Amino acid sequence: MIAVIAITGIVAAAVASFIRRPVEGYVDAARRAELTDIADTALRRITRDLRTALPNSIRVTSVGASHYLEYLQVSGGGRYRAEPDSTGGGDTLDFTSADSSFEVLGPAPSVTGGEFLVVYNLGPGADPANAYADPPGNNRQAIAAIAGGVVTLSAPKLFPFASPGRRFQIVQHPVTYACEAGVLRRYWGYAISAAQPTPPAGGSSALLATNVTDCSFSYATGGATGRTGVVSLTLEIGQSGEKVRLFQQAHVANVP
């Protein structure tokens, strides 16, 4: 029995020395795949969300080792009536005095409450054509209702500039992606602020990724009028000595 036990121990040790490396390799590969999946899912979520950004509303900033990406989320839009119809009727959007309603050309978007209407947004630094700016020196106004193809505002508003394409957008709320203290978090539903919040107060938040060892956000515009934009995203996640670093770019349209 002693001989059998000794021989069994020797065989087990020999077998273990052969299968140790394959098992360790499998565990390492599974860990890398998990980290890659977490980072890839987070970047895809950010990229998908950026497609709903109000033109010229993306802004990025850093506070120490924390990085923030913010934009205004659009739920819909349309074209406003700028001229009377052939009979001289129709509710036009007036840009010479404060107006509280106008007619939509084509299908009217739907609203659920709390949305804002924005016309010709040029973004931060372009006041008053800046939806982030404090009222009345901005280009957004709360919507009271949309019914029968007519948009009714919560109060009369004189929008600073008409849109060359006679377009308007409906903003639901601001959204922020924040890399701070080793986590990636999404904030939404907080109040619109002229200064970028770091981090936002109020609203809701959700955790997207943990074990974040590094991340960065950058935003650049191109073209003669900056009508195209590129958001560059870098996300690095580490665990148990392993690190996965992914880079992704999102193209955004800035035609207001």
Side-chain angles (χ1 to χ4, degrees):
M1 293 179 63
I2 294 175
V4 171
I5 294 173
I7 294 172
T8 303
I10 294 172
V11 172
V15 172
S17 65
F18 283 106
I19 67 173
R20 176 184 175 185
R21 293 301 182 187
V23 171
E24 288 179 347
Y26 170 78
V27 173
D28 291 342
R31 184 186 303 113
R32 295 188 196 105
E34 180 183 4
L35 296 178
T36 302
D37 182 63
I38 293 173
D40 182 63
T41 301
L43 291 179
R44 286 177 181 271
R45 173 62 187 271
I46 298 175
T47 301
R48 185 176 71 243
D49 273 4
L50 288 174
R51 296 192 183 102
T52 67
L54 176 73
N56 303 300
S57 70
I58 295 174
R59 54 185 184 179
V60 297
T61 191
S62 298
V63 179
S66 300
H67 307 278
Y68 302 90
L69 166 67
E70 186 182 32
Y71 66 93
L72 297 177
Q73 181 168 295
V74 170
S75 63
R79 295 180 183 271
Y80 59 83
R81 178 177 290 280
E83 301 291 340
D85 58 23
S86 58
T87 64
D91 189 355
T92 62
L93 180 57
D94 194 350
F95 288 91
T96 61
S97 61
D99 199 349
S100 61
S101 67
F102 64 88
E103 185 179 348
V104 179
L105 299 179
S110 60
V111 295
T112 58
E115 290 95 339
F116 296 90
L117 185 132
V118 176
V119 177
Y120 199 60
N121 187 61
L122 298 180
D127 298 358
N130 176 16
Y132 284 115
D134 295 327
N138 61 11
N139 60 341
R140 64 178 165 88
Q141 182 65 295
I143 299 174
I146 299 180
V150 175
V151 176
T152 303
L153 304 177
S154 61
K157 173 74 174 182
L158 174 58
F159 291 95
F161 302 111
S163 167
R166 301 176 180 180
R167 286 185 291 264
F168 67 88
Q169 286 89 22
I170 295 177
V171 170
Q172 287 182 305
H173 47 67
V175 175
T176 289
Y177 282 95
C179 279
E180 47 190 3
V183 300
L184 175 62
R185 192 178 298 274
R186 182 180 189 267
Y187 296 88
W188 73 96
Y190 53 91
I192 298 176
S193 174
Q196 185 173 355
T198 55
S204 304
S205 66
L207 184 64
L208 295 186
T210 58
N211 300 315
V212 177
T213 56
D214 187 28
C215 79
S216 65
F217 305 130
S218 65
Y219 174 60
T221 57
T225 56
R227 292 298 183 253
T228 59
V230 176
V231 180
S232 299
L233 311 166
T234 303
L235 182 61
E236 182 181 89
I237 297 180
Q239 187 179 18
S240 302
E242 298 274 6
K243 288 184 179 180
V244 171
R245 187 180 184 90
L246 297 184
F247 173 79
Q248 189 160 315
Q249 289 184 316
H251 292 264
V252 293
N254 284 330
V255 181

